[in-house]
PDB file of all heavy atoms in Angstrom:
ATOM      1  N   TYR A  35       0.552  -3.963  -6.683  1.00 96.00           N
ATOM      2  CA  TYR A  35      -0.453  -4.464  -5.756  1.00 96.00           C
ATOM      3  C   TYR A  35      -1.807  -4.533  -6.479  1.00 96.00           C
ATOM      4  O   TYR A  35      -2.106  -3.715  -7.345  1.00 96.00           O
ATOM      5  CB  TYR A  35      -0.598  -3.540  -4.548  1.00 96.00           C
ATOM      6  CG  TYR A  35       0.605  -3.503  -3.631  1.00 96.00           C
ATOM      7  CD1 TYR A  35       1.724  -2.738  -3.930  1.00 96.00           C
ATOM      8  CD2 TYR A  35       0.610  -4.240  -2.445  1.00 96.00           C
ATOM      9  CE1 TYR A  35       2.815  -2.705  -3.098  1.00 96.00           C
ATOM     10  CE2 TYR A  35       1.708  -4.205  -1.589  1.00 96.00           C
ATOM     11  CZ  TYR A  35       2.792  -3.437  -1.923  1.00 96.00           C
ATOM     12  OH  TYR A  35       3.877  -3.405  -1.089  1.00 96.00           O
ATOM     13  N   GLN A  37      -5.854  -4.316  -5.580  1.00 96.00           N
ATOM     14  CA  GLN A  37      -6.817  -3.980  -4.528  1.00 96.00           C
ATOM     15  C   GLN A  37      -8.226  -4.261  -5.045  1.00 96.00           C
ATOM     16  O   GLN A  37      -8.783  -3.502  -5.846  1.00 96.00           O
ATOM     17  CB  GLN A  37      -6.698  -2.516  -4.107  1.00 96.00           C
ATOM     18  CG  GLN A  37      -7.585  -2.168  -2.919  1.00 96.00           C
ATOM     19  CD  GLN A  37      -7.474  -0.716  -2.502  1.00 96.00           C
ATOM     20  OE1 GLN A  37      -7.002   0.137  -3.244  1.00 96.00           O
ATOM     21  NE2 GLN A  37      -7.906  -0.431  -1.275  1.00 96.00           N
ATOM     22  N   GLN A  41     -11.339  -4.263  -0.144  1.00 93.00           N
ATOM     23  CA  GLN A  41     -10.206  -4.972   0.458  1.00 93.00           C
ATOM     24  C   GLN A  41      -8.981  -4.067   0.528  1.00 93.00           C
ATOM     25  O   GLN A  41      -8.930  -3.025  -0.113  1.00 93.00           O
ATOM     26  CB  GLN A  41      -9.859  -6.209  -0.378  1.00 93.00           C
ATOM     27  CG  GLN A  41     -11.006  -7.189  -0.558  1.00 93.00           C
ATOM     28  CD  GLN A  41     -11.403  -7.836   0.738  1.00 93.00           C
ATOM     29  OE1 GLN A  41     -10.547  -8.273   1.510  1.00 93.00           O
ATOM     30  NE2 GLN A  41     -12.700  -7.894   1.011  1.00 93.00           N
ATOM     31  N   GLY A  42      -8.010  -4.512   1.286  1.00 94.00           N
ATOM     32  CA  GLY A  42      -6.724  -3.835   1.279  1.00 94.00           C
ATOM     33  C   GLY A  42      -5.894  -4.315   0.100  1.00 94.00           C
ATOM     34  O   GLY A  42      -6.185  -5.351  -0.494  1.00 94.00           O
ATOM     35  N   PRO A  43      -4.881  -3.564  -0.277  1.00 95.00           N
ATOM     36  CA  PRO A  43      -4.016  -3.999  -1.385  1.00 95.00           C
ATOM     37  C   PRO A  43      -3.312  -5.313  -1.060  1.00 95.00           C
ATOM     38  O   PRO A  43      -2.911  -5.551   0.079  1.00 95.00           O
ATOM     39  CB  PRO A  43      -3.000  -2.856  -1.491  1.00 95.00           C
ATOM     40  CG  PRO A  43      -3.663  -1.676  -0.863  1.00 95.00           C
ATOM     41  CD  PRO A  43      -4.499  -2.242   0.244  1.00 95.00           C
ATOM     42  N   PHE A  45      -0.071  -7.719  -2.303  1.00 94.00           N
ATOM     43  CA  PHE A  45       1.222  -7.632  -2.992  1.00 94.00           C
ATOM     44  C   PHE A  45       1.293  -8.661  -4.112  1.00 94.00           C
ATOM     45  O   PHE A  45       1.077  -9.850  -3.888  1.00 94.00           O
ATOM     46  CB  PHE A  45       2.325  -7.874  -1.970  1.00 94.00           C
ATOM     47  CG  PHE A  45       3.717  -7.930  -2.535  1.00 94.00           C
ATOM     48  CD1 PHE A  45       4.311  -6.813  -3.089  1.00 94.00           C
ATOM     49  CD2 PHE A  45       4.440  -9.110  -2.497  1.00 94.00           C
ATOM     50  CE1 PHE A  45       5.601  -6.867  -3.606  1.00 94.00           C
ATOM     51  CE2 PHE A  45       5.732  -9.178  -3.000  1.00 94.00           C
ATOM     52  CZ  PHE A  45       6.314  -8.059  -3.551  1.00 94.00           C
ATOM     53  N   GLN A  48       7.595  -7.468  -6.923  1.00 92.00           N
ATOM     54  CA  GLN A  48       8.464  -6.303  -6.852  1.00 92.00           C
ATOM     55  C   GLN A  48       9.614  -6.467  -7.846  1.00 92.00           C
ATOM     56  O   GLN A  48      10.163  -7.567  -7.996  1.00 92.00           O
ATOM     57  CB  GLN A  48       9.021  -6.150  -5.438  1.00 92.00           C
ATOM     58  CG  GLN A  48       9.881  -4.908  -5.234  1.00 92.00           C
ATOM     59  CD  GLN A  48      10.327  -4.767  -3.787  1.00 92.00           C
ATOM     60  OE1 GLN A  48      11.311  -5.356  -3.380  1.00 92.00           O
ATOM     61  NE2 GLN A  48       9.575  -3.979  -3.025  1.00 92.00           N
ATOM     62  N   ARG A  55      12.206  -9.661  -7.788  1.00 86.00           N
ATOM     63  CA  ARG A  55      12.990 -10.114  -6.643  1.00 86.00           C
ATOM     64  C   ARG A  55      12.122 -10.638  -5.508  1.00 86.00           C
ATOM     65  O   ARG A  55      12.645 -11.205  -4.568  1.00 86.00           O
ATOM     66  CB  ARG A  55      13.936  -9.039  -6.149  1.00 86.00           C
ATOM     67  CG  ARG A  55      13.313  -7.836  -5.489  1.00 86.00           C
ATOM     68  CD  ARG A  55      14.422  -6.968  -4.893  1.00 86.00           C
ATOM     69  NE  ARG A  55      13.902  -5.815  -4.161  1.00 86.00           N
ATOM     70  CZ  ARG A  55      14.649  -5.022  -3.422  1.00 86.00           C
ATOM     71  NH1 ARG A  55      15.951  -5.230  -3.309  1.00 86.00           N
ATOM     72  NH2 ARG A  55      14.130  -3.996  -2.786  1.00 86.00           N
ATOM     73  N   GLN A  56      10.822 -10.464  -5.583  1.00 85.00           N
ATOM     74  CA  GLN A  56       9.909 -10.990  -4.570  1.00 85.00           C
ATOM     75  C   GLN A  56       8.541 -11.105  -5.224  1.00 85.00           C
ATOM     76  O   GLN A  56       8.158 -10.254  -6.029  1.00 85.00           O
ATOM     77  CB  GLN A  56       9.831 -10.040  -3.371  1.00 85.00           C
ATOM     78  CG  GLN A  56       9.019 -10.564  -2.217  1.00 85.00           C
ATOM     79  CD  GLN A  56       9.835 -11.389  -1.253  1.00 85.00           C
ATOM     80  OE1 GLN A  56      11.051 -11.294  -1.226  1.00 85.00           O
ATOM     81  NE2 GLN A  56       9.186 -12.223  -0.463  1.00 85.00           N
ATOM     82  N   LEU A  88      -8.500  -2.519  -8.605  1.00 96.00           N
ATOM     83  CA  LEU A  88      -7.622  -1.365  -8.766  1.00 96.00           C
ATOM     84  C   LEU A  88      -6.187  -1.883  -8.642  1.00 96.00           C
ATOM     85  O   LEU A  88      -5.843  -2.538  -7.656  1.00 96.00           O
ATOM     86  CB  LEU A  88      -7.895  -0.329  -7.665  1.00 96.00           C
ATOM     87  CG  LEU A  88      -7.043   0.940  -7.671  1.00 96.00           C
ATOM     88  CD1 LEU A  88      -7.343   1.799  -8.898  1.00 96.00           C
ATOM     89  CD2 LEU A  88      -7.284   1.748  -6.390  1.00 96.00           C
ATOM     90  N   ARG A  97      16.981  -0.643  -0.531  1.00 61.00           N
ATOM     91  CA  ARG A  97      17.567  -0.506   0.784  1.00 61.00           C
ATOM     92  C   ARG A  97      19.087  -0.482   0.734  1.00 61.00           C
ATOM     93  O   ARG A  97      19.713  -1.259   0.055  1.00 61.00           O
ATOM     94  CB  ARG A  97      17.117  -1.669   1.657  1.00 61.00           C
ATOM     95  CG  ARG A  97      17.620  -1.599   3.073  1.00 61.00           C
ATOM     96  CD  ARG A  97      17.063  -2.728   3.865  1.00 61.00           C
ATOM     97  NE  ARG A  97      15.636  -2.641   3.949  1.00 61.00           N
ATOM     98  CZ  ARG A  97      14.903  -3.509   4.642  1.00 61.00           C
ATOM     99  NH1 ARG A  97      15.461  -4.493   5.268  1.00 61.00           N
ATOM    100  NH2 ARG A  97      13.605  -3.389   4.693  1.00 61.00           N
ATOM    101  N   ALA A 100      20.759   0.148   6.674  1.00 45.00           N
ATOM    102  CA  ALA A 100      19.542   0.213   7.494  1.00 45.00           C
ATOM    103  C   ALA A 100      18.561   1.266   6.999  1.00 45.00           C
ATOM    104  O   ALA A 100      17.613   1.588   7.684  1.00 45.00           O
ATOM    105  CB  ALA A 100      19.927   0.517   8.937  1.00 45.00           C
ATOM    106  N   GLN A 102      15.516   3.092   5.364  1.00 54.00           N
ATOM    107  CA  GLN A 102      14.119   2.717   5.185  1.00 54.00           C
ATOM    108  C   GLN A 102      13.771   2.610   3.708  1.00 54.00           C
ATOM    109  O   GLN A 102      14.274   3.350   2.880  1.00 54.00           O
ATOM    110  CB  GLN A 102      13.260   3.780   5.845  1.00 54.00           C
ATOM    111  CG  GLN A 102      11.787   3.645   5.633  1.00 54.00           C
ATOM    112  CD  GLN A 102      11.109   4.976   5.768  1.00 54.00           C
ATOM    113  OE1 GLN A 102      11.703   5.944   6.158  1.00 54.00           O
ATOM    114  NE2 GLN A 102       9.861   5.039   5.399  1.00 54.00           N
ATOM    115  N   GLU A 103      12.889   1.693   3.389  1.00 69.00           N
ATOM    116  CA  GLU A 103      12.455   1.500   2.022  1.00 69.00           C
ATOM    117  C   GLU A 103      10.962   1.826   1.923  1.00 69.00           C
ATOM    118  O   GLU A 103      10.161   0.972   1.629  1.00 69.00           O
ATOM    119  CB  GLU A 103      12.723   0.054   1.599  1.00 69.00           C
ATOM    120  CG  GLU A 103      12.618  -0.195   0.112  1.00 69.00           C
ATOM    121  CD  GLU A 103      13.068  -1.598  -0.281  1.00 69.00           C
ATOM    122  OE1 GLU A 103      13.922  -2.176   0.417  1.00 69.00           O
ATOM    123  OE2 GLU A 103      12.545  -2.121  -1.270  1.00 69.00           O
ATOM    124  N   THR A 104      10.593   3.071   2.200  1.00 80.00           N
ATOM    125  CA  THR A 104       9.194   3.476   2.177  1.00 80.00           C
ATOM    126  C   THR A 104       8.649   3.432   0.765  1.00 80.00           C
ATOM    127  O   THR A 104       9.308   3.859  -0.185  1.00 80.00           O
ATOM    128  CB  THR A 104       9.055   4.897   2.730  1.00 80.00           C
ATOM    129  OG1 THR A 104       9.525   4.909   4.067  1.00 80.00           O
ATOM    130  CG2 THR A 104       7.613   5.364   2.692  1.00 80.00           C
ATOM    131  N   GLN A 105       7.440   2.912   0.623  1.00 86.00           N
ATOM    132  CA  GLN A 105       6.808   2.794  -0.681  1.00 86.00           C
ATOM    133  C   GLN A 105       5.795   3.921  -0.873  1.00 86.00           C
ATOM    134  O   GLN A 105       4.940   4.144  -0.026  1.00 86.00           O
ATOM    135  CB  GLN A 105       6.136   1.431  -0.816  1.00 86.00           C
ATOM    136  CG  GLN A 105       7.143   0.297  -0.752  1.00 86.00           C
ATOM    137  CD  GLN A 105       6.553  -1.060  -1.024  1.00 86.00           C
ATOM    138  OE1 GLN A 105       5.444  -1.207  -1.524  1.00 86.00           O
ATOM    139  NE2 GLN A 105       7.318  -2.102  -0.710  1.00 86.00           N
ATOM    140  N   TYR A 106       5.900   4.587  -2.017  1.00 89.00           N
ATOM    141  CA  TYR A 106       4.986   5.667  -2.386  1.00 89.00           C
ATOM    142  C   TYR A 106       4.131   5.175  -3.543  1.00 89.00           C
ATOM    143  O   TYR A 106       4.645   4.642  -4.523  1.00 89.00           O
ATOM    144  CB  TYR A 106       5.767   6.915  -2.787  1.00 89.00           C
ATOM    145  CG  TYR A 106       6.510   7.534  -1.630  1.00 89.00           C
ATOM    146  CD1 TYR A 106       7.785   7.101  -1.286  1.00 89.00           C
ATOM    147  CD2 TYR A 106       5.926   8.525  -0.867  1.00 89.00           C
ATOM    148  CE1 TYR A 106       8.465   7.645  -0.215  1.00 89.00           C
ATOM    149  CE2 TYR A 106       6.605   9.087   0.206  1.00 89.00           C
ATOM    150  CZ  TYR A 106       7.867   8.645   0.532  1.00 89.00           C
ATOM    151  OH  TYR A 106       8.527   9.185   1.591  1.00 89.00           O
ATOM    152  N   PHE A 107       2.825   5.370  -3.416  1.00 93.00           N
ATOM    153  CA  PHE A 107       1.886   4.784  -4.358  1.00 93.00           C
ATOM    154  C   PHE A 107       1.414   5.770  -5.423  1.00 93.00           C
ATOM    155  O   PHE A 107       1.283   6.969  -5.172  1.00 93.00           O
ATOM    156  CB  PHE A 107       0.655   4.257  -3.613  1.00 93.00           C
ATOM    157  CG  PHE A 107       0.906   2.969  -2.886  1.00 93.00           C
ATOM    158  CD1 PHE A 107       1.576   2.962  -1.668  1.00 93.00           C
ATOM    159  CD2 PHE A 107       0.499   1.761  -3.431  1.00 93.00           C
ATOM    160  CE1 PHE A 107       1.829   1.767  -1.004  1.00 93.00           C
ATOM    161  CE2 PHE A 107       0.735   0.569  -2.779  1.00 93.00           C
ATOM    162  CZ  PHE A 107       1.401   0.578  -1.563  1.00 93.00           C
ATOM    163  N   GLY A 108       1.125   5.204  -6.594  1.00 94.00           N
ATOM    164  CA  GLY A 108       0.480   5.950  -7.660  1.00 94.00           C
ATOM    165  C   GLY A 108      -1.029   5.935  -7.491  1.00 94.00           C
ATOM    166  O   GLY A 108      -1.549   5.307  -6.568  1.00 94.00           O
ATOM    167  N   PRO A 109      -1.751   6.606  -8.405  1.00 94.00           N
ATOM    168  CA  PRO A 109      -3.214   6.697  -8.291  1.00 94.00           C
ATOM    169  C   PRO A 109      -3.932   5.412  -8.693  1.00 94.00           C
ATOM    170  O   PRO A 109      -5.112   5.248  -8.393  1.00 94.00           O
ATOM    171  CB  PRO A 109      -3.570   7.829  -9.254  1.00 94.00           C
ATOM    172  CG  PRO A 109      -2.446   7.836 -10.237  1.00 94.00           C
ATOM    173  CD  PRO A 109      -1.222   7.412  -9.499  1.00 94.00           C
TER     174      PRO A 109
ATOM    175  N   TYR B  31       9.072  -2.021   9.775  1.00 84.00           N
ATOM    176  CA  TYR B  31       8.318  -0.781   9.868  1.00 84.00           C
ATOM    177  C   TYR B  31       6.822  -1.074   9.857  1.00 84.00           C
ATOM    178  O   TYR B  31       6.377  -2.069   9.289  1.00 84.00           O
ATOM    179  CB  TYR B  31       8.636   0.138   8.687  1.00 84.00           C
ATOM    180  CG  TYR B  31      10.018   0.712   8.713  1.00 84.00           C
ATOM    181  CD1 TYR B  31      11.053   0.102   8.016  1.00 84.00           C
ATOM    182  CD2 TYR B  31      10.304   1.849   9.452  1.00 84.00           C
ATOM    183  CE1 TYR B  31      12.338   0.621   8.044  1.00 84.00           C
ATOM    184  CE2 TYR B  31      11.585   2.382   9.489  1.00 84.00           C
ATOM    185  CZ  TYR B  31      12.589   1.760   8.782  1.00 84.00           C
ATOM    186  OH  TYR B  31      13.845   2.269   8.814  1.00 84.00           O
ATOM    187  N   TYR B  33       3.166   1.051   8.976  1.00 91.00           N
ATOM    188  CA  TYR B  33       2.757   2.221   8.210  1.00 91.00           C
ATOM    189  C   TYR B  33       1.268   2.504   8.366  1.00 91.00           C
ATOM    190  O   TYR B  33       0.465   1.600   8.603  1.00 91.00           O
ATOM    191  CB  TYR B  33       3.000   1.982   6.706  1.00 91.00           C
ATOM    192  CG  TYR B  33       4.435   1.723   6.326  1.00 91.00           C
ATOM    193  CD1 TYR B  33       4.980   0.450   6.395  1.00 91.00           C
ATOM    194  CD2 TYR B  33       5.239   2.756   5.860  1.00 91.00           C
ATOM    195  CE1 TYR B  33       6.296   0.206   6.024  1.00 91.00           C
ATOM    196  CE2 TYR B  33       6.554   2.527   5.480  1.00 91.00           C
ATOM    197  CZ  TYR B  33       7.073   1.253   5.567  1.00 91.00           C
ATOM    198  OH  TYR B  33       8.374   1.020   5.185  1.00 91.00           O
ATOM    199  N   TYR B  35      -1.509   4.402   5.864  1.00 95.00           N
ATOM    200  CA  TYR B  35      -1.818   5.023   4.584  1.00 95.00           C
ATOM    201  C   TYR B  35      -3.273   5.488   4.600  1.00 95.00           C
ATOM    202  O   TYR B  35      -4.107   4.886   5.248  1.00 95.00           O
ATOM    203  CB  TYR B  35      -1.644   4.031   3.425  1.00 95.00           C
ATOM    204  CG  TYR B  35      -0.210   3.745   3.027  1.00 95.00           C
ATOM    205  CD1 TYR B  35       0.508   2.733   3.642  1.00 95.00           C
ATOM    206  CD2 TYR B  35       0.402   4.474   2.016  1.00 95.00           C
ATOM    207  CE1 TYR B  35       1.822   2.461   3.262  1.00 95.00           C
ATOM    208  CE2 TYR B  35       1.719   4.202   1.631  1.00 95.00           C
ATOM    209  CZ  TYR B  35       2.416   3.196   2.259  1.00 95.00           C
ATOM    210  OH  TYR B  35       3.708   2.922   1.876  1.00 95.00           O
ATOM    211  N   GLN B  37      -6.579   6.555   2.039  1.00 95.00           N
ATOM    212  CA  GLN B  37      -7.108   6.435   0.684  1.00 95.00           C
ATOM    213  C   GLN B  37      -8.444   7.146   0.599  1.00 95.00           C
ATOM    214  O   GLN B  37      -9.404   6.762   1.265  1.00 95.00           O
ATOM    215  CB  GLN B  37      -7.263   4.970   0.269  1.00 95.00           C
ATOM    216  CG  GLN B  37      -7.658   4.798  -1.192  1.00 95.00           C
ATOM    217  CD  GLN B  37      -7.678   3.343  -1.631  1.00 95.00           C
ATOM    218  OE1 GLN B  37      -8.097   2.469  -0.872  1.00 95.00           O
ATOM    219  NE2 GLN B  37      -7.214   3.068  -2.844  1.00 95.00           N
ATOM    220  N   ALA B  41      -9.068   7.175  -5.305  1.00 85.00           N
ATOM    221  CA  ALA B  41      -7.665   7.597  -5.354  1.00 85.00           C
ATOM    222  C   ALA B  41      -6.733   6.479  -4.925  1.00 85.00           C
ATOM    223  O   ALA B  41      -7.168   5.433  -4.429  1.00 85.00           O
ATOM    224  CB  ALA B  41      -7.462   8.817  -4.467  1.00 85.00           C
ATOM    225  N   GLY B  42      -5.423   6.705  -5.124  1.00 88.00           N
ATOM    226  CA  GLY B  42      -4.415   5.763  -4.651  1.00 88.00           C
ATOM    227  C   GLY B  42      -4.167   5.965  -3.167  1.00 88.00           C
ATOM    228  O   GLY B  42      -4.941   6.610  -2.465  1.00 88.00           O
ATOM    229  N   LEU B  43      -3.087   5.392  -2.685  1.00 92.00           N
ATOM    230  CA  LEU B  43      -2.760   5.448  -1.269  1.00 92.00           C
ATOM    231  C   LEU B  43      -1.783   6.576  -0.982  1.00 92.00           C
ATOM    232  O   LEU B  43      -0.770   6.720  -1.657  1.00 92.00           O
ATOM    233  CB  LEU B  43      -2.127   4.122  -0.818  1.00 92.00           C
ATOM    234  CG  LEU B  43      -2.982   2.890  -0.953  1.00 92.00           C
ATOM    235  CD1 LEU B  43      -2.222   1.656  -0.528  1.00 92.00           C
ATOM    236  CD2 LEU B  43      -4.239   3.005  -0.117  1.00 92.00           C
ATOM    237  N   LEU B  45       0.802   8.030   1.807  1.00 91.00           N
ATOM    238  CA  LEU B  45       1.520   7.705   3.026  1.00 91.00           C
ATOM    239  C   LEU B  45       1.301   8.803   4.049  1.00 91.00           C
ATOM    240  O   LEU B  45       1.575   9.975   3.796  1.00 91.00           O
ATOM    241  CB  LEU B  45       3.020   7.553   2.734  1.00 91.00           C
ATOM    242  CG  LEU B  45       3.908   7.319   3.952  1.00 91.00           C
ATOM    243  CD1 LEU B  45       3.611   5.966   4.581  1.00 91.00           C
ATOM    244  CD2 LEU B  45       5.379   7.396   3.562  1.00 91.00           C
ATOM    245  N   TYR B  48       4.808   6.592   9.479  1.00 89.00           N
ATOM    246  CA  TYR B  48       5.310   5.236   9.715  1.00 89.00           C
ATOM    247  C   TYR B  48       6.064   5.264  11.032  1.00 89.00           C
ATOM    248  O   TYR B  48       6.448   6.317  11.536  1.00 89.00           O
ATOM    249  CB  TYR B  48       6.242   4.798   8.574  1.00 89.00           C
ATOM    250  CG  TYR B  48       7.444   5.690   8.420  1.00 89.00           C
ATOM    251  CD1 TYR B  48       8.628   5.439   9.114  1.00 89.00           C
ATOM    252  CD2 TYR B  48       7.405   6.815   7.596  1.00 89.00           C
ATOM    253  CE1 TYR B  48       9.718   6.278   8.993  1.00 89.00           C
ATOM    254  CE2 TYR B  48       8.479   7.652   7.473  1.00 89.00           C
ATOM    255  CZ  TYR B  48       9.632   7.390   8.169  1.00 89.00           C
ATOM    256  OH  TYR B  48      10.714   8.223   8.052  1.00 89.00           O
ATOM    257  N   PHE B  88      -5.464   2.637   6.099  1.00 97.00           N
ATOM    258  CA  PHE B  88      -4.886   1.298   6.046  1.00 97.00           C
ATOM    259  C   PHE B  88      -3.640   1.230   6.917  1.00 97.00           C
ATOM    260  O   PHE B  88      -2.749   2.083   6.834  1.00 97.00           O
ATOM    261  CB  PHE B  88      -4.489   0.924   4.617  1.00 97.00           C
ATOM    262  CG  PHE B  88      -5.648   0.694   3.698  1.00 97.00           C
ATOM    263  CD1 PHE B  88      -6.116   1.708   2.888  1.00 97.00           C
ATOM    264  CD2 PHE B  88      -6.268  -0.553   3.642  1.00 97.00           C
ATOM    265  CE1 PHE B  88      -7.191   1.495   2.029  1.00 97.00           C
ATOM    266  CE2 PHE B  88      -7.332  -0.772   2.785  1.00 97.00           C
ATOM    267  CZ  PHE B  88      -7.796   0.251   1.988  1.00 97.00           C
ATOM    268  N   PRO B  93       8.793  -3.770   5.253  1.00 66.00           N
ATOM    269  CA  PRO B  93       9.192  -5.116   4.883  1.00 66.00           C
ATOM    270  C   PRO B  93       9.925  -5.794   6.031  1.00 66.00           C
ATOM    271  O   PRO B  93      10.475  -5.135   6.895  1.00 66.00           O
ATOM    272  CB  PRO B  93      10.144  -4.878   3.713  1.00 66.00           C
ATOM    273  CG  PRO B  93      10.689  -3.521   3.966  1.00 66.00           C
ATOM    274  CD  PRO B  93       9.613  -2.744   4.660  1.00 66.00           C
ATOM    275  N   ALA B  94       9.903  -7.118   6.017  1.00 54.00           N
ATOM    276  CA  ALA B  94      10.615  -7.861   7.034  1.00 54.00           C
ATOM    277  C   ALA B  94      12.105  -7.612   6.872  1.00 54.00           C
ATOM    278  O   ALA B  94      12.580  -7.319   5.782  1.00 54.00           O
ATOM    279  CB  ALA B  94      10.298  -9.347   6.922  1.00 54.00           C
ATOM    280  N   GLY B  96      15.978  -7.802   6.269  1.00 39.00           N
ATOM    281  CA  GLY B  96      16.881  -8.619   5.458  1.00 39.00           C
ATOM    282  C   GLY B  96      16.617  -8.638   3.980  1.00 39.00           C
ATOM    283  O   GLY B  96      17.179  -9.447   3.264  1.00 39.00           O
ATOM    284  N   GLY B  97      15.766  -7.791   3.465  1.00 45.00           N
ATOM    285  CA  GLY B  97      15.659  -7.818   2.016  1.00 45.00           C
ATOM    286  C   GLY B  97      14.320  -7.357   1.499  1.00 45.00           C
ATOM    287  O   GLY B  97      13.506  -6.822   2.222  1.00 45.00           O
ATOM    288  N   ALA B  98      14.089  -7.600   0.237  1.00 51.00           N
ATOM    289  CA  ALA B  98      12.884  -7.114  -0.422  1.00 51.00           C
ATOM    290  C   ALA B  98      11.664  -7.822   0.121  1.00 51.00           C
ATOM    291  O   ALA B  98      11.704  -8.988   0.455  1.00 51.00           O
ATOM    292  CB  ALA B  98      12.997  -7.367  -1.911  1.00 51.00           C
ATOM    293  N   ASP B  99      10.605  -7.104   0.186  1.00 67.00           N
ATOM    294  CA  ASP B  99       9.360  -7.708   0.623  1.00 67.00           C
ATOM    295  C   ASP B  99       8.233  -6.748   0.294  1.00 67.00           C
ATOM    296  O   ASP B  99       8.426  -5.540   0.297  1.00 67.00           O
ATOM    297  CB  ASP B  99       9.390  -7.973   2.120  1.00 67.00           C
ATOM    298  CG  ASP B  99       8.419  -9.061   2.530  1.00 67.00           C
ATOM    299  OD1 ASP B  99       7.626  -9.498   1.672  1.00 67.00           O
ATOM    300  OD2 ASP B  99       8.433  -9.465   3.689  1.00 67.00           O
ATOM    301  N   GLY B 100       7.062  -7.281   0.031  1.00 83.00           N
ATOM    302  CA  GLY B 100       5.912  -6.426  -0.146  1.00 83.00           C
ATOM    303  C   GLY B 100       5.322  -6.067   1.192  1.00 83.00           C
ATOM    304  O   GLY B 100       5.623  -6.679   2.217  1.00 83.00           O
ATOM    305  N   LEU B 101       4.489  -5.058   1.193  1.00 88.00           N
ATOM    306  CA  LEU B 101       3.768  -4.685   2.405  1.00 88.00           C
ATOM    307  C   LEU B 101       2.528  -5.563   2.547  1.00 88.00           C
ATOM    308  O   LEU B 101       1.899  -5.943   1.552  1.00 88.00           O
ATOM    309  CB  LEU B 101       3.343  -3.212   2.333  1.00 88.00           C
ATOM    310  CG  LEU B 101       4.477  -2.188   2.213  1.00 88.00           C
ATOM    311  CD1 LEU B 101       3.910  -0.788   2.123  1.00 88.00           C
ATOM    312  CD2 LEU B 101       5.437  -2.314   3.381  1.00 88.00           C
ATOM    313  N   PHE B 103      -1.188  -5.421   4.062  1.00 93.00           N
ATOM    314  CA  PHE B 103      -2.172  -4.431   4.477  1.00 93.00           C
ATOM    315  C   PHE B 103      -3.345  -5.064   5.204  1.00 93.00           C
ATOM    316  O   PHE B 103      -3.729  -6.207   4.929  1.00 93.00           O
ATOM    317  CB  PHE B 103      -2.736  -3.702   3.248  1.00 93.00           C
ATOM    318  CG  PHE B 103      -1.803  -2.704   2.628  1.00 93.00           C
ATOM    319  CD1 PHE B 103      -0.831  -3.123   1.737  1.00 93.00           C
ATOM    320  CD2 PHE B 103      -1.899  -1.363   2.946  1.00 93.00           C
ATOM    321  CE1 PHE B 103       0.038  -2.195   1.157  1.00 93.00           C
ATOM    322  CE2 PHE B 103      -1.041  -0.439   2.370  1.00 93.00           C
ATOM    323  CZ  PHE B 103      -0.072  -0.855   1.481  1.00 93.00           C
ATOM    324  N   GLY B 104      -3.955  -4.268   6.093  1.00 94.00           N
ATOM    325  CA  GLY B 104      -5.253  -4.626   6.619  1.00 94.00           C
ATOM    326  C   GLY B 104      -6.330  -4.286   5.602  1.00 94.00           C
ATOM    327  O   GLY B 104      -6.030  -3.760   4.519  1.00 94.00           O
ATOM    328  N   LYS B 105      -7.597  -4.542   5.943  1.00 95.00           N
ATOM    329  CA  LYS B 105      -8.688  -4.266   5.013  1.00 95.00           C
ATOM    330  C   LYS B 105      -9.118  -2.802   5.037  1.00 95.00           C
ATOM    331  O   LYS B 105      -9.932  -2.384   4.232  1.00 95.00           O
ATOM    332  CB  LYS B 105      -9.884  -5.160   5.327  1.00 95.00           C
ATOM    333  CG  LYS B 105      -9.624  -6.619   5.000  1.00 95.00           C
ATOM    334  CD  LYS B 105     -10.877  -7.465   5.150  1.00 95.00           C
ATOM    335  CE  LYS B 105     -10.559  -8.897   4.737  1.00 95.00           C
ATOM    336  NZ  LYS B 105     -11.740  -9.782   4.854  1.00 95.00           N
TER     337      LYS B 105
END
Side-chain angles (χ1 to χ4, degrees):
Chain A
Y35 292 80
Q37 186 180 18
Q41 303 294 315
F45 175 67
Q48 183 176 84
R55 69 172 183 171
Q56 186 88 20
L88 179 67
R97 183 177 297 182
Q102 173 205 352
E103 194 173 332
T104 300
Q105 297 186 15
Y106 293 86
F107 284 78
Chain B
Y31 290 95
Y33 299 85
Y35 284 88
Q37 187 174 39
L43 298 178
L45 175 67
Y48 60 89
F88 290 95
D99 203 352
L101 299 179
F103 286 83
K105 291 187 177 180

